[in-house]
Amino acid sequence: MSTAFTLNFEKESDNLSFNINDLVKSASEVIVPLGHINSFAARSPWAGLEHQTFEQVARRLKDTCDVDIYPNNTILKSANKKGEVNKKFLEEGMTKWLDIQDLDLPRNVAEQFCRNALELDQQSFDTSEGLELKQLAKKLSHYKPEIPKNYTILTYSQRIEQMGKENISEELNLHIIKWCKLYLDESQAVWSMPNREEGLYLAWKAMIQYDLALNHNIRKLLKLLPEDAEHALSEALIELEIPKSKLQDYLEAHLLALPGWAGMMLWRSQQATQEDKLLLEYLAVRISLECALVKSYLPLPDPKVEEQVLIEPLLLCWTQWGNMSISDWAKLSSTEAKARLLLADRFDQFVRNRLWLEAWEKTYEVQLREMITSKQLISTQQTKSVMAQFAFCIDVRSEPFRRQLEKVGPFETFGTAGFFGLPIETTELGSAHSHESLPTMFKPEYKVIEASSDADLKQYKQRENTANSLSHTFKTMKHNMLSNLLLPEISGPWLSLQTLARSFVPQKAGYAMRKMRKKWLHKPSTKLSLDHLHILDSELPVGFSEKEQVFYARQALKMMGLTDHFAPLVVICGHGSHSTNNPYSSALDCGACGGASSRFNARVLATLCNLPKLREALEKEGIVIPKETVFVAAEHITTLDELRFLYVPELSEEAQESFDCIQSKLSKVRDEANAERIVQLPTLDCHYKNPKGEVQRFAEDWSEVRPEWGLARNATFIIGERKLTEECNLEGRAFLHNYQWKNDINGDILAKIIAGPAKVAQWINLQYYASTVAPHYYGSGNKTTQTITAGIGVMQGNASDLLSGLPWQSVMQSDQEAYHEPLRLLVVIQAPSKYIERLLDRNPVFRQKVQHGWIRLASIDPEGQWKSWS
């Protein structure tokens, strides 16, 4: 049992010597950058804490924020009821734990206690013997277990609140939320915050003296703050007399108080050099304001440090799980009594939940192993002439679609990172803005522009401006003091018709509106700037040199394992999603690429691979693409289970035959994928006569809170040949990346997969995990009660933390039952053991993830033998 400790507020003479910038940088590891909701990217909330074990972080978060990151009893009971936890692994975990404990206690007694404690269905403790229990606890108090070494740091405002005086911590949070919203606002406020260009701290300092929510004395104090944020933060910490040894802990406590808003400040500080001190400014505002709010309470009395683990709960544990009455303790020697208390203290809720989680994960691993190894013989016996090959993103939603596609025709599918290794920023036709089209962990190195002839482009932009002008006029009138009085009369009839159509016939209304807009815009045929162009006002090089074109095409083909035996048609499949009235729509696009669809990347790669000069260069390196092979680009729409072709050049006779075959099969693939997926969505009617129509309704209905499940239930990342899993129904739970170890003698390809796609998959996995086990802290609450704030994110109500994770509907089947199973990602690599050993030796970061319990690792050697490395 851990004990909460607060700061010992003794002034230290060397407080002036600390480097505030270094302290802020180190403290920022407890939070993660939180980007704009329109460019939502999955991120592990504990990415900066992986130098500690999963259990250490769990204990720290419980002590600091009262957040549990192990699955709770309700989730574990559900898993146990479904048969997803093999009790044999729970027993094995308990045995291993007892093996490393130094307990002066009979083994059978310890085992029985632990076995009873692990039961999930338990009655509440009987406290009828309360007086006797207190007397016994007092008598045994000198047998206290060892004191925990991890202490909790509380801020001044939290200490005052804990003392029951005033809710200063809550008041501080409300003020900070208000100023963060004003500073970060991008679309909602009619008038922007004055002096925002000078930075958060100076803009806040200029305005705070007019904030009537603060009393006159506090405003007077804040008016005297230094003009420099670094100086202000340092001065506040010194004024509060924070010991130098506790400074980083104190900053961390403030960052964890509102990790969403702090995460947004951290993200913004990484995007532009003019805001690189934004997180420091945030802390300067927060702690300076706290200093002013608590000044009248100083000095606080010295905190009472509870150095003793409470004995009563430990005695109750033995009453419940050890079948010991209070009178039985009198029969024990002092050594036996201390040993029992020590066992009850060590085998706490954290250890019990860890053992349950590990048993659940081991059960899933064994089930996956048995499925794969039992299907391998079937797979290796099958050979077929392939008409078309498809390269899909590793996204778990691709697995069911690939499985259905392989069933209906002589097709072969490959899995690879959905941005296809292209570090590009893209500018679509007619757009004045570019967007990054690659995982957020990387930065673009090239720009690719979609272009058309001058005449076509001019006409297209005119039509687009006309279409957008209505929306712009509406917004302008809404924000004008006089015109907004006439707006209801002008817009009412049209908006009423739209509302009725969207509400009662959402599928038809949405389809009609999109079709009408598409017909009006009539986008002309376009080309991509793949050859290097000299554009003076571009920060990035536009297009690629011939050498770069060859490099990225070769890399993409090698990463997906497609370097020989090319089919007549190769389809590069990006992926995206479609939903209506959904703040989290970007979360259903590529989970790595900031909510961007990877359709643009698919077209770039397909176009590159059709260039004759590029093919000649690849042939010299041993990658021979037959003349009749043609690359095309498509987009997999995950909400609808559709494959839409984006780029189809002139086809060879063989490629045309393959293309016609695909077109004739796609409707069946879509119907089968629809039927498999629709029954998993919780709706009033689980029997649909028309699954296709229903999934279209889900995508178009603006009242639908769950258009699809996204990446929920993701559990494993499999790196190997498709033959390894093509006969397996992985239930949309697996990231699948093609890999052929025989073609990776030096291990470079595997290293890239682990450093890129595997890292992204782990972030996705832990974000879904965190949003399930701690939805109030790491999730984003109920979609129906969310408020979009400042145009950048969502809150619950009008003054909450900026919510960083997934909404309730993305992970929960119902109010009582989770849909996502919070298991840490299992990485399975098909390669000899020496390849895994080399990988772990060369990549200490990945080895640390495995050793500290952030990821699990297994391998399958050439003989089909499975080995667990975690």
Side-chain angles (χ1 to χ4, degrees):
M1 293 184 179
S2 55
T3 306
F5 281 76
T6 50
L7 294 171
N8 181 16
F9 295 97
E10 297 175 356
K11 193 165 186 175
E12 295 189 6
S13 59
D14 60 346
N15 254 346
L16 292 170
S17 65
F18 58 78
N19 186 315
I20 197 66
N21 287 288
D22 289 345
L23 283 171
V24 171
K25 184 178 180 181
S26 298
S28 68
E29 290 183 353
V30 300
I31 58 173
V32 293
L34 175 60
H36 200 293
I37 193 170
N38 290 336
S39 55
F40 189 94
R43 186 94 186 208
S44 163
W46 309 299
L49 300 174
E50 291 181 350
H51 57 279
Q52 302 176 48
T53 67
F54 191 89
E55 185 175 357
Q56 286 172 335
V57 172
R59 291 183 182 277
R60 177 180 182 179
L61 288 170
K62 180 63 177 177
D63 288 345
T64 307
C65 313
D66 194 26
V67 172
D68 293 305
I69 67 170
Y70 280 112
N72 60 35
N73 274 19
T74 302
I75 294 174
L76 293 173
K77 282 180 183 180
S78 177
N80 188 42
K81 187 177 179 180
K82 294 175 184 176
E84 294 171 354
V85 183
N86 189 327
K87 292 291 187 68
K88 178 184 73 172
F89 300 128
L90 189 63
E91 183 80 13
E92 288 177 0
M94 180 198 75
T95 301
K96 289 180 181 179
W97 183 85
L98 283 171
D99 287 343
I100 61 174
Q101 304 303 311
D102 184 18
L103 297 169
D104 194 1
L105 197 65
R107 181 61 178 244
N108 64 318
V109 173
E111 286 182 352
Q112 190 58 49
F113 175 86
C114 293
R115 198 172 287 119
N116 291 338
L118 285 169
E119 291 296 324
L120 296 172
D121 294 308
Q122 297 179 358
Q123 297 178 351
S124 58
F125 289 123
D126 181 11
T127 56
S128 58
E129 300 174 314
L131 180 61
E132 292 181 73
L133 191 69
K134 288 181 182 296
Q135 292 174 344
L136 179 60
K138 186 176 182 180
K139 182 179 179 182
L140 297 174
S141 60
H142 59 288
Y143 297 138
K144 63 189 178 186
E146 67 269 20
I147 299 172
K149 297 179 181 179
N150 295 326
Y151 308 135
T152 299
I153 301 298
L154 297 178
T155 66
Y156 256 90
S157 53
Q158 289 169 337
R159 282 188 64 200
I160 293 171
E161 190 165 303
Q162 193 178 69
M163 292 163 60
K165 291 190 175 181
E166 283 194 35
N167 294 332
I168 290 186
S169 179
E170 183 180 348
E171 182 184 354
L172 175 63
N173 284 341
L174 290 175
H175 282 289
I176 294 302
I177 290 167
K178 173 179 65 182
W179 291 108
C180 284
K181 286 196 293 184
L182 286 169
Y183 178 79
L184 295 171
D185 181 81
E186 293 183 357
S187 67
Q188 291 186 337
V190 181
W191 295 287
S192 60
M193 183 180 185
N195 306 310
R196 189 162 63 168
E197 68 281 354
E198 296 184 13
L200 172 64
Y201 176 75
L202 289 177
W204 169 79
K205 186 176 182 298
M207 294 292 295
I208 193 66
Q209 57 189 301
Y210 306 110
D211 186 0
L212 298 181
L214 296 169
N215 67 45
H216 176 72
N217 291 332
I218 290 177
R219 281 183 279 143
K220 190 175 179 181
L221 283 173
L222 295 174
K223 189 177 181 180
L224 300 175
L225 288 175
E227 294 297 316
D228 177 70
E230 293 181 30
H231 188 191
L233 178 56
S234 300
E235 198 172 85
L237 292 170
I238 294 170
E239 180 73 18
L240 292 172
E241 300 185 359
I242 310 299
K244 183 180 177 182
S245 61
K246 301 297 183 183
L247 285 173
Q248 181 176 325
D249 294 327
Y250 200 76
L251 295 180
E252 289 176 359
H254 273 287
L255 292 175
L256 287 171
L258 292 172
W261 288 110
M264 175 60 76
M265 298 297 179
L266 176 60
W267 179 76
R268 287 278 291 260
S269 72
Q270 297 172 349
Q271 303 306 304
T273 54
Q274 62 266 30
E275 287 191 316
D276 60 350
K277 296 292 182 64
L278 187 54
L279 186 64
L280 185 148
E281 292 184 50
Y282 169 83
L283 286 169
V285 170
R286 184 178 174 91
I287 298 178
S288 296
L289 184 54
E290 181 191 49
C291 190
L293 289 171
V294 305
K295 196 172 184 67
S296 62
Y297 293 89
L298 301 180
L300 292 179
D302 292 334
K304 294 180 180 180
V305 178
E306 180 62 64
E307 296 188 352
Q308 180 175 308
V309 174
L310 296 177
I311 302 297
E312 288 180 44
L314 305 184
L315 294 174
L316 283 172
C317 288
W318 275 98
T319 302
Q320 180 80 358
W321 302 323
N323 297 320
M324 286 186 65
S325 64
I326 292 177
S327 59
D328 291 335
W329 286 89
K331 304 172 186 177
L332 300 176
S333 66
S334 61
T335 301
E336 290 174 325
K338 184 175 181 179
R340 280 167 169 74
L341 294 176
L342 187 60
L343 175 60
D345 181 61
R346 288 182 180 177
F347 201 65
D348 59 8
Q349 190 70 50
F350 282 96
V351 173
R352 299 197 297 272
N353 285 3
R354 175 172 67 82
L355 294 180
W356 267 102
L357 176 60
E358 289 174 352
W360 190 1
E361 291 170 337
K362 188 65 178 177
T363 304
Y364 175 77
E365 180 181 340
V366 169
Q367 291 171 346
L368 181 66
R369 180 191 70 194
E370 291 175 351
M371 182 194 304
I372 290 176
T373 53
S374 65
K375 300 289 187 181
Q376 273 184 286
L377 291 176
I378 300 174
S379 176
T380 55
Q381 291 171 359
Q382 293 180 347
T383 59
K384 58 185 178 182
S385 177
V386 178
M387 289 187 69
Q389 293 162 323
F390 298 79
F392 282 91
C393 180
I394 61 171
D395 190 295
V396 296
R397 293 168 291 180
S398 297
E399 185 271 327
F401 193 86
R402 290 173 61 181
R403 183 164 22 92
Q404 299 298 340
L405 190 61
E406 290 165 342
K407 283 181 182 179
V408 300
F411 306 138
E412 185 178 17
T413 70
F414 297 80
T416 190
F419 77 115
F420 306 107
L422 298 170
I424 59 175
E425 178 180 281
T426 63
T427 304
E428 298 189 15
L429 184 68
S431 175
H433 305 285
S434 300
H435 70 270
E436 297 180 0
S437 190
L438 76 171
T440 54
M441 67 175 70
F442 304 125
K443 291 296 180 184
E445 299 176 25
Y446 306 91
K447 178 182 285 189
V448 178
I449 300 173
E450 186 180 30
S452 184
S453 67
D454 291 341
D456 286 343
L457 177 60
K458 183 178 180 180
Q459 293 178 13
Y460 176 73
K461 291 185 76 171
Q462 287 175 345
R463 293 191 296 269
E464 191 174 46
N465 289 337
T466 302
N468 294 335
S469 63
L470 292 173
S471 175
H472 177 73
T473 302
F474 182 85
K475 186 174 182 180
T476 302
M477 291 181 69
K478 185 172 69 172
H479 289 163
N480 186 281
M481 190 174 295
L482 296 176
S483 62
N484 67 8
L485 298 175
L486 298 173
L487 193 59
E489 282 72 21
I490 297 172
S491 62
W494 163 247
L495 292 179
S496 297
L497 287 173
Q498 185 186 24
T499 300
L500 289 170
R502 279 287 193 185
S503 300
F504 293 102
V505 283
Q507 179 185 339
K508 293 180 180 179
Y511 176 76
M513 290 177 187
R514 282 203 322 276
K515 187 176 181 180
M516 186 167 55
R517 179 179 174 84
K518 185 177 180 181
K519 188 173 182 179
W520 167 257
L521 291 177
H522 185 56
K523 185 176 180 179
S525 59
T526 60
K527 292 184 178 180
L528 303 178
S529 60
L530 299 184
D531 294 320
H532 183 64
L533 299 174
H534 293 282
I535 298 181
L536 295 177
D537 60 348
S538 177
E539 296 181 2
L540 295 173
V542 177
F544 310 90
S545 67
E546 288 187 11
K547 186 176 180 180
E548 290 164 345
Q549 289 176 354
V550 173
F551 171 81
Y552 287 111
R554 178 181 63 241
Q555 176 181 259
L557 293 173
K558 284 189 172 182
M559 290 297 288
M560 69 179 68
L562 180 57
T563 56
D564 53 23
H565 298 93
F566 289 89
L569 191 72
V570 179
V571 187
I572 308 298
C573 305
H575 76 96
S577 182
H578 173 72
S579 56
T580 306
N581 188 35
N582 182 9
Y584 278 84
S585 58
S586 63
L588 299 178
D589 283 318
C590 182
C593 298
S597 164
S598 52
R599 61 178 180 270
F600 208 102
N601 299 59
R603 184 181 172 189
V604 170
L605 179 59
T607 307
L608 284 175
C609 290
N610 285 329
L611 298 176
K613 287 185 179 180
L614 185 142
R615 290 193 178 192
E616 289 176 10
L618 289 178
E619 188 170 347
K620 293 177 183 177
E621 300 184 22
I623 302 177
V624 181
I625 303 175
K627 291 182 179 180
E628 66 272 13
T629 295
V630 180
F631 285 72
V632 302
E635 182 180 26
H636 174 208
I637 308 297
T638 57
T639 327
L640 304 173
D641 298 303
E642 285 186 358
L643 199 66
R644 297 176 181 172
F645 286 93
L646 309 168
Y647 158 73
V648 182
E650 184 179 350
L651 302 175
S652 65
E653 185 178 339
E654 295 86 349
Q656 185 66 55
E657 183 182 352
S658 299
F659 186 77
D660 293 340
C661 180
I662 293 170
Q663 292 285 54
S664 67
K665 304 287 188 181
L666 278 180
S667 60
K668 184 177 181 181
V669 173
R670 180 197 59 213
D671 291 345
E672 292 294 331
N674 284 170
E676 179 179 336
R677 187 167 59 83
I678 194 69
V679 296
Q680 297 171 349
L681 289 166
T683 58
L684 296 176
D685 184 7
C686 60
H687 301 289
Y688 298 107
K689 296 179 181 179
N690 181 15
K692 176 187 173 184
E694 193 60 26
V695 297
Q696 289 176 338
R697 184 194 67 77
F698 271 86
E700 298 290 353
D701 192 343
W702 64 0
S703 67
E704 182 53 62
V705 295
R706 195 183 282 105
E708 62 159 289
W709 274 121
L711 292 94
R713 297 187 78 235
N714 71 83
T716 184
F717 183 83
I718 301 175
I719 306 170
E721 296 177 287
R722 177 54 177 157
K723 289 181 179 180
L724 187 70
T725 57
E726 66 182 349
E727 296 296 329
C728 302
N729 181 354
L730 297 171
E731 300 177 330
R733 304 189 68 183
F735 300 93
L736 297 177
H737 201 300
N738 273 68
Y739 175 67
Q740 174 51 264
W741 64 269
K742 292 179 181 178
N743 298 333
D744 188 31
I745 303 302
N746 56 12
D748 289 345
I749 295 176
L750 181 58
K752 289 179 180 178
I753 294 172
I754 292 297
K759 184 177 182 180
V760 168
Q762 184 216 3
W763 282 1
I764 292 170
N765 170 265
L766 287 178
Q767 186 177 65
Y768 272 84
Y769 178 104
S771 298
T772 305
V773 298
H776 62 292
Y777 192 77
Y778 290 118
S780 60
N782 193 322
K783 269 188 180 181
T784 59
T785 56
Q786 285 176 347
T787 302
I788 299 177
T789 181
I792 57 169
V794 297
M795 301 189 306
Q796 287 291 329
N798 65 350
S800 79
D801 192 15
L802 193 65
L803 302 174
S804 59
L806 296 156
W808 187 257
Q809 287 84 359
S810 290
V811 295
M812 299 298 294
Q813 183 87 15
S814 66
D815 288 346
Q816 291 78 32
E817 185 178 0
Y819 177 77
H820 179 70
E821 296 180 2
L823 306 177
R824 290 167 293 186
L825 189 69
L826 171 64
V827 175
V828 182
I829 304 173
Q830 184 187 24
S833 293
K834 62 181 182 181
Y835 276 56
I836 315 301
E837 292 168 357
R838 179 176 60 189
L839 171 69
L840 294 172
D841 288 341
R842 293 181 180 178
N843 191 333
V845 174
F846 181 68
R847 183 176 67 244
Q848 179 178 267
K849 290 176 186 287
V850 176
Q851 292 176 341
H852 287 181
W854 297 102
I855 208 167
R856 296 174 297 130
L857 178 63
S859 66
I860 303 175
D861 66 19
E863 286 72 42
Q865 297 299 310
W866 184 288
K867 179 177 179 180
S868 294
W869 295 78
S870 50

